[in-house]
Amino acid sequence: MSITLPKVRVPYLLLFPGFAFLFTFFILPIVNLAQTSTQTPIPGGDTGQYEQSFAFSNYINAFLDNRDQFARSFVYATLATIFALAIAYPLAYAIAFKSGKFKNILLVLVVAPFFTSFLLRTIAWKQILGEEGFLVPTLRSLHLMGQQTTITSTAVAVVAGMTYNFLPFMTLPLYASLERIDPRTIEASGDLYANGITTFRRVTVPLSLPGVVAGTLLTFIPAAGDYVNASILGSPNTKMIGNVIESRYFKIVDYPTAAALSFTLMAAILILVTLYIRKAGTEELV
Amino acid sequence: MGRGFPKGTRQLVSIDPINARGDLRLTRITKSYGDFNAVDDLTLTIPKGSFFALLGPSGCGKTTTLRMVAGLEEPTVGSIHLGDTDITTTRPYQRPINTVFQNYALFPHLTIFENIAFGLRRRGVKDVKEQVDKVLNLVELPHLAERKPTQLSGGQQQRIALARAIVNRPALLLLDEPLGALDLKLRRQMQIELKWIQREVGLTFVHVTHDQEEAMTMADTIAVMNEGKIEQMGTPADLYDDPETAFVANFLGQSNLIKGKIEGNDGDNLVIDLFGQKISMPKARSHAVDNSLYAGIRPEKFRITRTGSAVRGNTLTGGRIEDVSYIGVSTQYVVAMPWGQELMVFEQNDDGVPPFNKGEEVVISWEPSFTFGLRGDEDVEAGTEVNPEETPE
């Protein structure tokens, strides 16, 4: 007994579970969120009761009230992305080209942090950067840091935490694109009078560009919306837009503002990412 | 453009290796990987301006040799000179040597123009555009300058890889199985083209291949390599007509090797006993060291006649046709001899004589001067194994 399906239907059947999932858990909530974002409190109603009044001014007010947090989010996310790239590129390069038989072990080590919860790892960073950790006393004794200066509750801690937490998302796509480079193109470059540095600049880097683009997006996008690092490692002065959205939703119960901020963040990220991909000009993005 | 010499070189002469010109000399080169010698005490001179082929089966050390000349590997022992300049330890980018890589290794992110211009730009050449255009015309693909390598066919990529190397006018151009990825017809065409281009540009070409026909078509001189050593070196005709070892006799074309004994001299000829039948061959073509030898005859040098008809030269009687394959230009016979050996005979289909039939009794004859003699202790199977990975298509 065999069941033969008309060929045309197979792709749709395969797509169905994904579509159903996205529709239920992405499209519907987005529509709902959009509706919420233009609501205003019901006059005389309780906290958390809102009615639809197409108040697009919610967007303007939400943005104007939280300009600093928006700016901070993008600055921190950019910094974390740059640092992650600076750490991940040599790492991925070494794993792809120099690790020999240790390649698989090193790749497992890159993803090993995922075996522990994101929250737990961030809390651990609080310990590492704290007064009792090894870092601060060491830096102080070397006079690289003032006796009164601390790291926790500063922007440094938040950016460091984000860099650490998103590092695997940068490393893996970079590794994938570096590993795909045909070693003979590297040899060909040397054969054509390019020394090591020139070969790296003219051949290795351009060929790993799809990995750089993918890695920076996978780091930047979640980093821009992150609030865990800022709330655990930061202070009120390092609040990011994610923290504002979180407190609007869960503490102040100001759903319209939270929704408006969420949409603004989404739009801002979309615009930045589009500009970035245009600029990077990688048609063959992974 | 003095870039200086890398650390540890013994170089004292003030010639920058990038400007070195002249014959390529490999002196007692050994390359070891652990206990295994990929190249074993190899000494070789490749004259300037020649088209030289390193021919051998996979694992014979030919590619390792090429990579040492390119600077991609360093010899364990020995030295490499280009003219009077020792280039043994110089880096690849400091050598006036360019390579056409197997599978081409074009830069996928650059246009064809920029691929070809790569070497020129690194050396700071002024008229890049002019030179690239010139070489694109030479390989007859000027219209592809702005394409990316992936948009080209295999044959086009091959020509671009060649153009990218020769545009630099290196002292030495290395070709690593350059035609291996092309189909048979295109390969034949490219062989002729490569040869023409080599004459046109007048560079020294060193060509590595496992394809004996390719080597014979293109090269002035062929070095046959086996197990890290050179078995024999010479012109294609020398190697084919007078192989010195069973490996060369079998690797270049096909050979019939018949065990025999040297009975004595007859002027400039040797008298040989082959299973009771006497033949003669020129003394100069024997490489035997004692009185045992293998008499070698190429299949197309044999003539087949019916028993009883008149024959000239050396004859072997008592043959029986075992198998007949008609392949158009010739008919190939397998002839079983009384001593149990089967001989290959290729007959041109040019005499109107109907082909022999299976089971017919025949006499085999040939010109004595076509015979070559190998040492009696040779492994007659050497060089006959076909590596399936290397069989084209």
Side-chain angles (χ1 to χ4, degrees):
Chain A
M1 192 185 87
S2 73
I3 302 164
T4 45
L5 292 165
K7 265 187 187 155
V8 214
R9 283 196 213 147
V10 175
Y12 293 106
L13 278 172
L14 292 174
L15 285 171
F16 181 75
F19 269 134
F21 183 88
L22 281 178
F23 184 79
T24 320
F25 298 106
F26 183 68
I27 308 279
L28 288 183
I30 282 270
V31 171
N32 186 268
L33 199 67
Q35 286 171 347
T36 312
S37 70
T38 52
Q39 290 176 347
T40 47
I42 296 172
D46 279 337
T47 330
Q49 284 189 306
Y50 295 94
E51 61 181 6
Q52 183 60 270
S53 56
F54 299 101
F56 289 98
S57 56
N58 279 354
Y59 279 86
I60 295 158
N61 294 335
F63 180 73
L64 292 178
D65 291 348
N66 299 289
R67 269 178 302 188
D68 290 353
Q69 286 82 351
F70 262 113
R72 207 175 280 137
S73 288
F74 288 107
V75 171
Y76 288 1
T78 306
L79 287 174
T81 306
I82 291 169
F83 292 137
L85 182 62
I87 298 168
Y89 203 102
L91 178 64
Y93 187 91
I95 297 174
F97 295 122
K98 311 280 178 196
S99 59
K101 58 181 174 178
F102 298 111
K103 188 180 269 188
N104 288 333
I105 298 174
L106 288 170
L107 282 174
V108 170
L109 287 178
V110 169
V111 292
F114 291 134
F115 296 135
T116 334
S117 119
F118 176 59
L119 221 54
L120 219 57
R121 281 182 280 132
T122 312
I123 292 167
W125 265 78
K126 203 176 169 131
Q127 302 283 316
I128 294 169
L129 301 176
E131 299 294 295
E132 308 299 319
F134 65 91
L135 191 67
V136 169
T138 311
L139 288 176
R140 280 189 185 147
S141 70
L142 291 170
H143 296 282
L144 291 170
M145 216 174 101
Q147 297 306 315
Q148 305 308 316
T149 330
T150 54
I151 300 180
T152 40
S153 310
T154 64
V156 175
V158 177
V159 172
M162 292 205 299
T163 306
Y164 163 77
N165 275 314
F166 295 113
L167 195 59
F169 298 104
M170 183 66 94
T171 311
L172 292 177
L174 276 177
Y175 164 77
S177 71
L178 283 167
E179 210 258 347
R180 261 211 312 251
I181 296 177
D182 181 353
R184 277 174 307 208
T185 56
I186 309 282
E187 285 183 352
S189 172
D191 190 69
L192 293 163
Y193 315 106
N195 60 25
I197 296 164
T198 313
T199 298
F200 180 73
R201 235 162 37 87
R202 299 279 178 181
V203 180
T204 314
V205 168
L207 288 178
S208 66
L209 215 55
V212 174
V213 173
T216 46
L217 291 180
L218 287 177
T219 306
F220 181 82
I221 297 171
D226 182 71
Y227 68 94
V228 174
N229 286 287
S231 64
I232 295 177
L233 299 169
S235 71
N237 293 328
T238 63
K239 255 194 189 171
M240 294 169 67
I241 198 65
N243 303 89
V244 178
I245 295 172
E246 191 238 355
S247 73
R248 288 277 154 183
Y249 259 117
F250 300 115
K251 298 196 183 106
I252 307 171
V253 209
D254 178 3
Y255 299 139
T257 307
L261 285 173
S262 298
F263 267 104
T264 313
L265 177 65
M266 223 186 304
I269 289 175
L270 266 176
I271 291 167
L272 283 175
V273 165
T274 312
L275 289 176
Y276 175 64
I277 292 178
R278 284 253 178 95
K279 185 115 173 95
T282 42
E283 309 101 58
E284 60 261 57
L285 195 62
V286 259
Chain B
M1 282 217 314
R3 279 185 235 247
F5 299 104
K7 280 173 283 180
T9 115
R10 306 173 288 280
Q11 189 73 43
L12 291 170
V13 190
S14 63
I15 293 179
D16 190 323
I18 206 86
N19 295 319
R21 290 294 183 269
D23 299 349
L24 177 76
R25 281 183 294 125
L26 308 185
T27 315
R28 310 209 61 180
I29 293 279
T30 296
K31 175 70 184 177
S32 313
Y33 297 100
D35 292 339
F36 171 69
N37 287 348
V39 175
D40 192 0
D41 198 17
L42 182 107
T43 297
L44 177 65
T45 298
I46 297 175
K48 189 176 172 216
S50 63
F51 198 135
F52 192 94
L54 277 173
L55 174 67
S58 85
C60 73
K62 59 189 193 298
T63 297
T64 308
T65 306
L66 192 82
R67 290 175 63 84
M68 287 191 285
V69 175
L72 300 168
E73 309 266 357
E74 211 174 292
T76 314
V77 185
S79 64
I80 303 173
H81 284 81
L82 190 58
D84 295 323
T85 315
D86 185 341
I87 59 165
T88 315
T89 55
T90 49
R91 312 288 301 153
Y93 59 86
Q94 294 166 318
R95 302 184 185 204
I97 296 172
N98 291 118
T99 309
V100 177
F101 287 83
Q102 200 173 2
N103 298 72
Y104 326 130
L106 296 174
F107 303 120
H109 60 298
L110 299 178
T111 60
I112 296 308
F113 185 95
E114 285 304 323
N115 261 281
I116 297 174
F118 195 92
L120 299 174
R121 295 206 195 281
R122 300 290 84 74
R123 289 183 301 137
V125 169
K126 291 281 180 306
D127 51 346
V128 172
K129 170 108 181 75
E130 202 185 317
Q131 295 209 30
V132 174
D133 287 346
K134 216 165 105 188
V135 77
L136 271 171
N137 280 319
L138 182 73
V139 297
E140 295 172 342
L141 296 172
H143 54 291
L144 297 181
E146 293 314 313
R147 302 262 185 95
K148 290 280 182 73
T150 47
Q151 297 169 290
L152 269 57
S153 72
Q156 290 170 334
Q157 291 188 29
Q158 208 287 324
R159 287 174 207 215
I160 298 305
L162 180 69
R164 184 177 71 172
I166 56 178
V167 74
N168 301 295
R169 307 202 62 85
L172 204 61
L173 184 84
L174 308 178
L175 302 116
D176 184 7
E177 301 270 7
L179 310 178
L182 304 181
D183 65 54
L184 195 67
K185 214 169 161 188
L186 197 53
R187 203 155 60 218
R188 295 274 174 277
Q189 186 192 330
M190 283 306 299
Q191 285 169 7
I192 295 161
E193 244 170 78
L194 266 176
K195 176 107 189 149
W196 177 82
I197 287 172
Q198 192 259 343
R199 283 203 209 103
E200 196 72 3
V201 296
L203 303 173
T204 314
F205 276 34
V206 181
H207 176 210
V208 156
T209 183
H210 66 269
D211 181 339
Q212 49 104 4
E213 200 176 326
E214 189 172 301
M216 292 178 79
T217 311
M218 295 197 282
D220 319 318
T221 311
I222 299 175
V224 181
M225 278 189 83
N226 184 29
E227 291 176 351
K229 291 179 191 295
I230 290 180
E231 287 267 332
Q232 191 179 347
M233 201 168 108
T235 64
D238 284 346
L239 293 179
Y240 187 80
D241 291 337
D242 189 13
E244 290 170 10
T245 64
F247 182 86
V248 176
N250 291 323
F251 198 77
L252 265 86
Q254 284 170 287
S255 291
N256 293 295
L257 302 176
I258 308 166
K259 185 121 186 100
K261 198 171 253 161
I262 301 175
E263 297 269 280
N265 294 321
D266 173 19
D268 284 340
N269 288 326
L270 293 173
V271 178
I272 317 271
D273 175 272
L274 299 178
F275 297 98
Q277 308 196 38
K278 301 275 184 292
I279 65 147
S280 76
M281 65 168 286
K283 234 181 234 175
R285 289 168 63 90
S286 169
H287 305 285
V289 284
D290 47 26
N291 64 359
S292 78
L293 100 172
Y294 278 100
I297 308 101
R298 297 288 186 182
E300 75 283 0
K301 303 291 196 286
F302 279 144
R303 289 183 304 262
I304 301 188
T305 42
R306 295 203 159 77
T307 309
S309 34
V311 287
R312 290 172 285 121
N314 289 329
T315 57
L316 290 172
T317 57
R320 198 167 47 79
I321 305 281
E322 194 71 2
D323 191 42
V324 184
S325 324
Y326 178 80
I327 57 159
V329 290
S330 65
T331 305
Q332 303 191 352
Y333 297 98
V334 176
V335 181
M337 299 311 287
W339 57 89
Q341 192 176 1
E342 290 184 335
L343 300 180
M344 291 288 295
V345 181
F346 300 164
E347 286 277 278
Q348 289 283 318
N349 294 325
D350 61 352
D351 50 8
V353 178
F356 295 89
N357 296 316
K358 208 176 154 182
E360 265 188 273
E361 296 281 327
V362 291
V363 174
I364 283 175
S365 61
W366 72 96
E367 286 299 322
S369 60
F370 288 145
T371 321
F372 54 86
L374 306 177
R375 292 165 60 133
D377 57 356
E378 284 270 4
D379 168 15
V380 290
E381 297 294 319
T384 54
E385 307 87 356
V386 177
N387 182 340
E389 274 170 48
E390 286 200 336
T391 317
E393 278 91 53

